[in-house]
Amino acid sequence: MSTTLLERDVTAADETPATGLMTGPEPSTDGEPGAWRSEARAAAWQKFQSLPMPARNEEAWRFASIKALDPSAYAPGQAVSPEVAAELIARSEGLSEIAGRMIFANDRLLQREALSDTLASKGVTWLPIEQAGERHRALFEQRFMQEEAILGGRKFAALHEAWMRTGTFLHVPRGVELELPLEAHHWLAGEHAACFPHTLIVADENSRVTFVDYFRSARAEAPGFAVGVNDLWLGPGAKVTYVNVQEWSRQVRSVQINSTVVGRDAAAVALSAHFGGAYARSESISHLRGSGGRSDMLSLAVADGRREIDQRTLQIHEVPHTASDLLYKNSLDDQARSIFAGLIRVAPGAHFTDAYQKVRNVLLSDEAEANSAPGLEIEADNVRCTHGATSGQIEEDELFYLLSRGITRKAAQRLIVLGFLQDVIDRLPCEPAREKLENMLRERFAR
């Protein structure tokens, strides 16, 4: 069943002019959705104001183009006309078969496809986050942004909490398995628009779910600003696959803060695919808190022009007998550049840890640049940890093999890069999501 909220959400938006980010959010009035969070938002805004802007001489922001993240020119909550909303709903193409879908534009819910009666009867909760916060406040407050943003983005996490108005909340009860994925589409529409999408997933013991987030711009060259957060909580034996597809316009500056908490014998697979944005920073932390827990952290990026991909990661093994595996691959053309700084941290007593970290960059031009700094911090015995990073251009032998068979140089490069990125996609356990990403890659290189 599909519920369209154009009249209530979009028309009402026309009555409220956009407010600049730096003026701070206005308090909610009694009875307004989310009014109960007014104090939390005000505290977050004060925190944002009190924290200094990051500096490039800080290790967490080394090499980063920090000036790109000045939020003063952007306005959240911009109105979206019914015509534009209808267009964005039509353009929100994802997987062919899904269990549910939500579509947002400028942090306003446009459409929600509800879960089936079967899933609802099993206790699965799938709601816009502001409704979940009111109907399931105890669980919401227990899980919403409970992990500190410790990879440099504390100021932007505070900005997110201050301005966040909506997003998706999913609670999968014990033993429930969703056979089909859920997805959410987040759009930036208008000039200098800002949005703050949030995804909160709580997977109880022995549950299973796949979730796909899409981040897109209505216009290919529209400037914009986005700070997103996703919180993934896995109970004992839970299995969660999370895919983040970033297709912002070439003029969007974004920060995405990802937190995954893995319980006993649980397994998390999280993949980020970067296809757009002028400056796209992602901060991803996996907390391994239960024996037998595993986290796979995956990322692929295709960047050209003067785009910048900034990746900061942390794999924290807090208890014995846990595993993590990070694989990040970037394809960089023209003057594009990537930054990777990742750390495997094994806490005291977290014996028998298996942790891996591999970063590979392929440079398709002489001006492309990759900066990588993987690292280890081990305070336990009997562990197996490896890390490494490589950067380089396509081998001439590989090109020669394809050129000798009549394939043009550009087509040969495309085939090699597709193969280079394929093993990241192959790690996804969800076949429809794999096929979707493969098609998006082919379309991206065809353009």
Side-chain angles (χ1 to χ4, degrees):
M1 180 176 64
S2 175
T3 303
T4 302
L5 302 174
L6 299 183
E7 182 177 353
R8 187 183 72 190
D9 288 78
V10 180
T11 306
D14 293 334
E15 301 170 2
T16 305
T19 303
L21 273 179
M22 301 307 290
T23 63
E26 295 182 0
S28 301
T29 57
D30 291 340
E32 180 184 345
W36 60 276
R37 290 207 70 246
S38 286
E39 289 186 9
R41 283 202 293 265
W45 177 248
Q46 288 184 350
K47 183 177 181 180
F48 169 76
Q49 289 182 306
S50 66
L51 290 170
M53 278 295 287
R56 201 172 184 182
N57 60 2
E58 299 173 30
E59 188 61 32
W61 292 88
R62 191 180 179 195
F63 300 117
S65 298
I66 297 172
K67 291 181 179 179
L69 289 176
D70 179 5
S72 59
Y74 304 94
Q78 290 192 24
V80 180
S81 70
E83 293 78 15
V84 170
E87 176 195 341
L88 297 180
I89 290 173
R91 290 171 58 188
S92 298
E93 297 180 355
L95 305 179
S96 58
E97 291 186 282
I98 53 175
R101 179 177 70 166
M102 293 190 198
I103 303 173
F104 304 87
N106 296 348
D107 290 336
R108 298 178 184 275
L109 180 64
L110 303 185
Q111 186 183 76
R112 174 188 169 209
E113 294 181 6
L115 297 174
S116 67
D117 292 339
T118 301
L119 289 176
S121 68
K122 293 180 178 180
V124 178
T125 302
W126 163 242
L127 290 170
I129 207 165
E130 70 277 15
Q131 294 180 24
E134 293 178 341
R135 299 181 193 178
H136 305 275
R137 187 177 299 188
L139 179 60
F140 178 87
E141 292 183 341
Q142 184 183 14
R143 299 304 189 196
F144 176 76
M145 294 189 73
Q146 291 302 300
E147 298 298 326
E148 186 76 17
I150 58 176
L151 294 181
R154 290 180 65 223
K155 187 175 181 71
F156 296 99
L159 183 67
H160 172 94
E161 187 172 3
W163 278 106
M164 190 275 298
R165 288 296 186 272
T166 191
T168 54
F169 173 89
L170 174 65
H171 176 218
V172 187
R174 177 179 179 179
V176 176
E177 298 187 1
L178 276 71
E179 297 299 325
L180 295 176
L182 291 158
E183 62 182 27
H185 298 256
H186 304 270
W187 291 90
L188 270 174
E191 294 290 328
H192 294 90
C195 71
F196 300 88
H198 197 106
T199 299
L200 173 55
I201 299 174
V202 181
D204 285 348
E205 184 175 359
N206 294 325
S207 62
R208 179 169 61 87
V209 67
T210 296
F211 193 100
V212 184
D213 264 330
Y214 301 90
F215 302 96
R216 293 166 170 159
S217 296
R219 290 181 50 240
E221 300 298 330
F225 185 82
V227 180
V229 172
N230 65 268
D231 299 312
L232 310 181
W233 293 85
L234 284 72
K239 291 179 172 57
V240 172
T241 299
Y242 175 75
V243 182
N244 169 337
V245 181
Q246 184 268 108
E247 288 188 291
W248 296 127
S249 87
R250 289 177 175 270
Q251 299 299 321
V252 170
R253 279 73 174 163
S254 69
V255 177
Q256 185 71 29
I257 300 172
N258 313 295
S259 172
T260 302
V261 178
V262 183
R264 175 176 51 82
D265 296 325
V269 179
L271 186 151
S272 295
H274 297 280
F275 298 117
Y279 172 88
R281 180 181 173 98
S282 64
E283 299 182 6
S284 297
I285 304 179
S286 281
H287 300 268
L288 284 301
R289 291 191 177 155
S291 179
R294 178 182 176 89
S295 176
D296 286 80
M297 303 169 69
L298 310 171
S299 178
L300 62 89
V302 179
D304 57 7
R306 299 180 65 87
R307 292 178 51 222
E308 184 170 320
I309 306 295
D310 187 354
Q311 303 163 320
R312 315 284 168 151
T313 70
L314 179 58
Q315 299 152 256
I316 308 179
H317 294 261
E318 302 178 15
V319 298
H321 297 284
T322 57
S324 66
D325 194 352
L326 179 148
L327 178 62
Y328 277 34
K329 289 194 171 186
N330 302 309
S331 169
L332 308 171
D333 202 353
D334 303 325
Q335 294 174 291
R337 62 195 300 263
S338 69
I339 305 160
F340 174 87
L343 180 67
I344 295 172
R345 178 181 296 161
V346 182
H351 307 300
F352 306 105
T353 287
D354 280 351
Y356 304 93
Q357 188 181 93
K358 182 188 291 185
V359 183
R360 295 188 64 193
N361 303 287
V362 61
L363 310 178
L364 302 179
S365 79
D366 293 334
E367 294 182 276
E369 177 186 341
N371 300 282
S372 300
L376 299 174
E377 186 179 293
I378 300 173
E379 299 183 77
D381 300 321
N382 296 319
V383 302
R384 183 167 52 187
C385 300
T386 64
H387 69 291
T390 61
S391 300
Q393 297 187 335
I394 294 175
E395 295 289 341
E396 284 299 322
D397 289 347
E398 292 182 90
L399 280 174
F400 177 78
Y401 177 83
L402 296 173
L403 295 174
S404 65
R405 280 152 180 77
I407 299 174
T408 65
R409 175 172 286 270
K410 205 69 177 175
Q413 285 183 330
R414 182 167 65 245
L415 288 171
I416 292 170
V417 173
L418 287 172
F420 169 76
L421 299 172
Q422 184 65 45
D423 60 344
V424 178
I425 296 174
D426 287 343
R427 295 272 294 274
L428 273 181
C430 176
E431 183 177 356
R434 290 198 304 269
E435 293 176 351
K436 176 68 175 178
L437 286 175
E438 288 168 357
N439 290 334
M440 293 179 73
L441 270 178
R442 284 193 287 268
E443 292 171 3
R444 176 73 174 77
F445 281 106
R447 291 198 299 268

PDB file of all heavy atoms in Angstrom, residues 337-350:
ATOM      1  N   ARG A 337      40.584  13.328  -6.303  1.00  0.00           N
ATOM      2  CA  ARG A 337      41.486  12.880  -5.259  1.00  0.00           C
ATOM      3  C   ARG A 337      40.719  12.123  -4.182  1.00  0.00           C
ATOM      4  O   ARG A 337      39.520  12.349  -3.969  1.00  0.00           O
ATOM      5  CB  ARG A 337      42.256  14.054  -4.649  1.00  0.00           C
ATOM      6  CG  ARG A 337      41.402  15.097  -3.984  1.00  0.00           C
ATOM      7  CD  ARG A 337      42.182  16.389  -3.728  1.00  0.00           C
ATOM      8  NE  ARG A 337      43.330  16.189  -2.876  1.00  0.00           N
ATOM      9  CZ  ARG A 337      43.318  16.429  -1.562  1.00  0.00           C
ATOM     10  NH1 ARG A 337      42.210  16.884  -0.977  1.00  0.00           N
ATOM     11  NH2 ARG A 337      44.397  16.250  -0.836  1.00  0.00           N
ATOM     12  N   SER A 338      41.414  11.198  -3.535  1.00  0.00           N
ATOM     13  CA  SER A 338      40.818  10.451  -2.433  1.00  0.00           C
ATOM     14  C   SER A 338      41.714  10.540  -1.210  1.00  0.00           C
ATOM     15  O   SER A 338      42.933  10.714  -1.311  1.00  0.00           O
ATOM     16  CB  SER A 338      40.609   8.978  -2.817  1.00  0.00           C
ATOM     17  OG  SER A 338      41.857   8.316  -2.952  1.00  0.00           O
ATOM     18  N   ILE A 339      41.075  10.439  -0.053  1.00  0.00           N
ATOM     19  CA  ILE A 339      41.778  10.414   1.225  1.00  0.00           C
ATOM     20  C   ILE A 339      41.231   9.217   1.999  1.00  0.00           C
ATOM     21  O   ILE A 339      40.011   9.042   2.111  1.00  0.00           O
ATOM     22  CB  ILE A 339      41.524  11.695   2.045  1.00  0.00           C
ATOM     23  CG1 ILE A 339      41.888  12.945   1.230  1.00  0.00           C
ATOM     24  CG2 ILE A 339      42.293  11.669   3.353  1.00  0.00           C
ATOM     25  CD1 ILE A 339      41.239  14.212   1.752  1.00  0.00           C
ATOM     26  N   PHE A 340      42.117   8.398   2.507  1.00  0.00           N
ATOM     27  CA  PHE A 340      41.692   7.310   3.376  1.00  0.00           C
ATOM     28  C   PHE A 340      42.567   7.307   4.622  1.00  0.00           C
ATOM     29  O   PHE A 340      43.800   7.325   4.533  1.00  0.00           O
ATOM     30  CB  PHE A 340      41.803   5.947   2.685  1.00  0.00           C
ATOM     31  CG  PHE A 340      41.503   4.791   3.627  1.00  0.00           C
ATOM     32  CD1 PHE A 340      40.199   4.367   3.811  1.00  0.00           C
ATOM     33  CD2 PHE A 340      42.520   4.174   4.336  1.00  0.00           C
ATOM     34  CE1 PHE A 340      39.911   3.339   4.706  1.00  0.00           C
ATOM     35  CE2 PHE A 340      42.243   3.138   5.229  1.00  0.00           C
ATOM     36  CZ  PHE A 340      40.932   2.723   5.418  1.00  0.00           C
ATOM     37  N   ALA A 341      41.911   7.293   5.781  1.00  0.00           N
ATOM     38  CA  ALA A 341      42.620   7.116   7.053  1.00  0.00           C
ATOM     39  C   ALA A 341      41.809   6.124   7.866  1.00  0.00           C
ATOM     40  O   ALA A 341      40.663   6.413   8.241  1.00  0.00           O
ATOM     41  CB  ALA A 341      42.759   8.440   7.788  1.00  0.00           C
ATOM     42  N   GLY A 342      42.357   4.946   8.091  1.00  0.00           N
ATOM     43  CA  GLY A 342      41.624   3.903   8.787  1.00  0.00           C
ATOM     44  C   GLY A 342      42.457   3.242   9.858  1.00  0.00           C
ATOM     45  O   GLY A 342      43.678   3.112   9.723  1.00  0.00           O
ATOM     46  N   LEU A 343      41.800   2.826  10.926  1.00  0.00           N
ATOM     47  CA  LEU A 343      42.505   2.207  12.042  1.00  0.00           C
ATOM     48  C   LEU A 343      41.778   0.944  12.484  1.00  0.00           C
ATOM     49  O   LEU A 343      40.545   0.931  12.608  1.00  0.00           O
ATOM     50  CB  LEU A 343      42.584   3.186  13.218  1.00  0.00           C
ATOM     51  CG  LEU A 343      43.296   2.691  14.484  1.00  0.00           C
ATOM     52  CD1 LEU A 343      44.781   2.479  14.215  1.00  0.00           C
ATOM     53  CD2 LEU A 343      43.075   3.672  15.641  1.00  0.00           C
ATOM     54  N   ILE A 344      42.544  -0.114  12.690  1.00  0.00           N
ATOM     55  CA  ILE A 344      42.059  -1.304  13.387  1.00  0.00           C
ATOM     56  C   ILE A 344      42.524  -1.187  14.832  1.00  0.00           C
ATOM     57  O   ILE A 344      43.722  -1.103  15.101  1.00  0.00           O
ATOM     58  CB  ILE A 344      42.621  -2.590  12.757  1.00  0.00           C
ATOM     59  CG1 ILE A 344      42.110  -2.763  11.326  1.00  0.00           C
ATOM     60  CG2 ILE A 344      42.235  -3.804  13.608  1.00  0.00           C
ATOM     61  CD1 ILE A 344      42.781  -3.913  10.589  1.00  0.00           C
ATOM     62  N   ARG A 345      41.577  -1.178  15.759  1.00  0.00           N
ATOM     63  CA  ARG A 345      41.915  -1.075  17.179  1.00  0.00           C
ATOM     64  C   ARG A 345      41.458  -2.344  17.895  1.00  0.00           C
ATOM     65  O   ARG A 345      40.263  -2.688  17.862  1.00  0.00           O
ATOM     66  CB  ARG A 345      41.262   0.146  17.812  1.00  0.00           C
ATOM     67  CG  ARG A 345      41.544   0.290  19.315  1.00  0.00           C
ATOM     68  CD  ARG A 345      40.851   1.515  19.885  1.00  0.00           C
ATOM     69  NE  ARG A 345      41.384   2.731  19.274  1.00  0.00           N
ATOM     70  CZ  ARG A 345      40.749   3.910  19.285  1.00  0.00           C
ATOM     71  NH1 ARG A 345      39.562   3.995  19.830  1.00  0.00           N
ATOM     72  NH2 ARG A 345      41.298   4.960  18.723  1.00  0.00           N
ATOM     73  N   VAL A 346      42.400  -3.032  18.520  1.00  0.00           N
ATOM     74  CA  VAL A 346      42.098  -4.242  19.292  1.00  0.00           C
ATOM     75  C   VAL A 346      42.273  -3.897  20.758  1.00  0.00           C
ATOM     76  O   VAL A 346      43.387  -3.604  21.212  1.00  0.00           O
ATOM     77  CB  VAL A 346      43.000  -5.415  18.880  1.00  0.00           C
ATOM     78  CG1 VAL A 346      42.629  -6.668  19.670  1.00  0.00           C
ATOM     79  CG2 VAL A 346      42.877  -5.684  17.379  1.00  0.00           C
ATOM     80  N   ALA A 347      41.168  -3.922  21.504  1.00  0.00           N
ATOM     81  CA  ALA A 347      41.186  -3.499  22.899  1.00  0.00           C
ATOM     82  C   ALA A 347      41.900  -4.528  23.766  1.00  0.00           C
ATOM     83  O   ALA A 347      42.038  -5.699  23.393  1.00  0.00           O
ATOM     84  CB  ALA A 347      39.752  -3.296  23.387  1.00  0.00           C
ATOM     85  N   PRO A 348      42.371  -4.105  24.952  1.00  0.00           N
ATOM     86  CA  PRO A 348      42.989  -5.057  25.871  1.00  0.00           C
ATOM     87  C   PRO A 348      42.048  -6.225  26.174  1.00  0.00           C
ATOM     88  O   PRO A 348      40.868  -6.020  26.468  1.00  0.00           O
ATOM     89  CB  PRO A 348      43.239  -4.212  27.132  1.00  0.00           C
ATOM     90  CG  PRO A 348      43.340  -2.811  26.625  1.00  0.00           C
ATOM     91  CD  PRO A 348      42.383  -2.725  25.478  1.00  0.00           C
ATOM     92  N   GLY A 349      42.559  -7.421  26.045  1.00  0.00           N
ATOM     93  CA  GLY A 349      41.759  -8.604  26.320  1.00  0.00           C
ATOM     94  C   GLY A 349      40.976  -9.139  25.142  1.00  0.00           C
ATOM     95  O   GLY A 349      40.372 -10.214  25.226  1.00  0.00           O
ATOM     96  N   ALA A 350      40.953  -8.422  24.024  1.00  0.00           N
ATOM     97  CA  ALA A 350      40.186  -8.863  22.849  1.00  0.00           C
ATOM     98  C   ALA A 350      41.019  -9.849  22.027  1.00  0.00           C
ATOM     99  O   ALA A 350      41.347  -9.611  20.866  1.00  0.00           O
ATOM    100  CB  ALA A 350      39.766  -7.669  22.011  1.00  0.00           C
TER     101      ALA A 350
END
